[in-house]
Amino acid sequence: MGQLERTFIKQLEKGGLESSFIPGFIRSLAKTISLDPQLNHLQINERLQYLGWDGFELDYHTLQLAVACFEANGIENIGKMPLK
């Protein structure tokens, strides 16, 4: 795992997301972005809340890290992204 991915995961943990929930959250986030890449930060949070992630709010900078990770790894390979 590269520095970008480590930073992204640390930001998720810092935001209050438990490490055991991170893989599922990343899959939900990737799916949300891939279905409609034109969504803004607030719309993405609304969709994630609809999917059951209402206990966590993604901040703008962490979203930008996520997008960079997805672009670097290919969003279709997100399930294979090493998390540890």
Side-chain angles (χ1 to χ4, degrees), residues 15-84:
L17 196 61
E18 292 182 37
S19 60
S20 62
F21 293 128
I22 289 176
F25 179 81
I26 290 174
R27 283 190 297 275
S28 293
L29 178 58
K31 187 69 165 175
T32 299
I33 292 171
S34 69
L35 289 174
D36 192 350
Q38 301 304 316
L39 292 175
N40 67 36
H41 166 250
L42 298 174
Q43 293 168 319
I44 288 173
N45 271 314
E46 286 176 5
R47 299 268 175 105
L48 290 170
Q49 288 176 359
Y50 177 77
L51 293 172
W53 296 103
D54 51 342
F56 180 79
E57 187 162 330
L58 188 66
D59 65 73
Y60 179 78
H61 296 291
T62 305
L63 174 60
Q64 295 307 307
L65 281 170
V67 169
C69 287
F70 298 159
E71 288 175 352
N73 292 300
I75 203 160
E76 69 279 355
N77 294 322
I78 199 59
K80 301 172 193 156
M81 189 170 108
L83 300 176
K84 294 285 179 187

